[in-house]
Amino acid sequence: MKKELVIYFVVILVVALSWHHKQWLDHPFEHLIGLPQGGAFGIPGVIHPLVFGFLAYLLLWIPRLIAKLFTKSK
């Protein structure tokens, strides 16, 4: 469980940095402080990184699950 949480938060970090790279490089502190007023596609500000991170996590989890089904366990 702990490993999956670490993977989830790394996914959130990678998605946030890749999607908002200009804001993170130009004004990272102001961008982070403005998170509660932000949002995307009707999802409130503080929650939207978690939602989009979860969607990206699922996109990574499905191939991992399929690969795990086809590999032999010892």
Side-chain angles (χ1 to χ4, degrees):
M1 179 77 169
K2 183 178 176 181
K3 177 184 171 186
E4 294 300 318
L5 280 175
V6 169
I7 292 171
Y8 174 65
F9 285 115
V10 167
V11 166
I12 288 176
L13 182 66
V14 169
V15 169
L17 290 174
S18 62
W19 195 264
H20 299 282
H21 64 278
K22 186 174 182 181
Q23 291 86 351
W24 283 106
L25 292 175
D26 289 344
H27 49 278
F29 188 68
E30 291 84 6
H31 187 65
L32 193 59
I33 296 298
L35 187 60
Q37 291 80 27
F41 302 108
I43 301 171
V46 177
I47 297 172
H48 90 269
L50 301 174
V51 172
F52 291 121
F54 182 70
L55 292 175
Y57 174 78
L58 282 180
L59 288 174
L60 293 173
W61 181 76
I62 291 170
R64 289 174 48 209
L65 176 66
I66 293 170
K68 194 174 194 179
L69 291 175
F70 286 112
T71 59
K72 288 185 176 182
S73 60
K74 293 183 179 182

